[in-house]
Amino acid sequence: MIVKSDHTRDFNTIFEIINDASIAYKGIIPKDRWKEPYMPKTELETQIAEGVEFWSYQENNEILGVMGIQYKHDVTLIRHAYVRTIARQKGIGGKLLNRLTEMTQLPVLIGTWVDASWAI
């Protein structure tokens, strides 16, 4: 099931999933871009304050993946797409992406690291 996240209630879970899933980037992205945690809580708070709206994929009342959508001027940005390490390769990211792109009539922009072949 895909639902809009409650940023207050789900904040720690979103933070946990982002930092669990981002381990896949370690050793792949430039060393000067890797940090632990990959996204500190203050950065996540800033992203939400700047308009990133997170949506969650849930099974059995557990959030397994998150993806953000942000409306900027005349485009829609897909931001911060992460799936728990234990739930990868099950189509969760694709389901979230499909749902979020269905929510807009604007052009959609998605970015990722070039060496993150699994995310392309």
Side-chain angles (χ1 to χ4, degrees):
M1 170 173 51
I2 297 174
V3 298
K4 184 178 177 185
S5 295
D6 176 320
H7 292 141
T8 302
R9 183 190 67 227
D10 299 333
F11 182 87
N12 286 328
T13 303
I14 294 167
F15 171 78
E16 176 189 318
I17 290 171
I18 288 171
N19 287 294
D20 167 64
S22 67
I23 291 297
Y25 293 139
K26 192 172 187 176
I28 302 296
I29 66 173
K31 288 181 182 182
D32 67 334
R33 297 291 160 198
W34 176 257
K35 60 188 181 294
E36 291 189 40
Y38 183 72
M39 183 181 291
K41 285 187 176 183
T42 55
E43 185 177 343
L44 179 56
E45 290 167 345
T46 299
Q47 293 292 305
I48 292 169
E50 291 177 351
V52 176
E53 180 180 285
F54 282 92
W55 287 71
S56 302
Y57 180 90
Q58 299 179 5
E59 281 184 6
N60 301 318
N61 294 319
E62 181 181 11
I63 299 174
L64 299 178
V66 296
M67 190 173 291
I69 189 168
Q70 185 176 23
Y71 302 99
K72 288 288 242 182
H73 309 292
D74 59 349
V75 298
T76 300
L77 304 176
I78 300 298
R79 314 277 314 274
H80 313 303
Y82 294 96
V83 175
R84 287 185 189 272
T85 301
I86 63 168
R88 286 195 190 135
Q89 303 299 316
K90 296 180 181 178
I92 293 171
K95 289 174 185 174
L96 280 163
L97 182 59
N98 286 338
R99 175 66 180 105
L100 270 59
T101 56
E102 289 171 354
M103 294 171 41
T104 184
Q105 298 299 312
L106 298 171
V108 176
L109 299 177
I110 305 170
T112 191
W113 296 100
V114 70
D115 289 334
S117 58
W118 63 91
I120 296 174

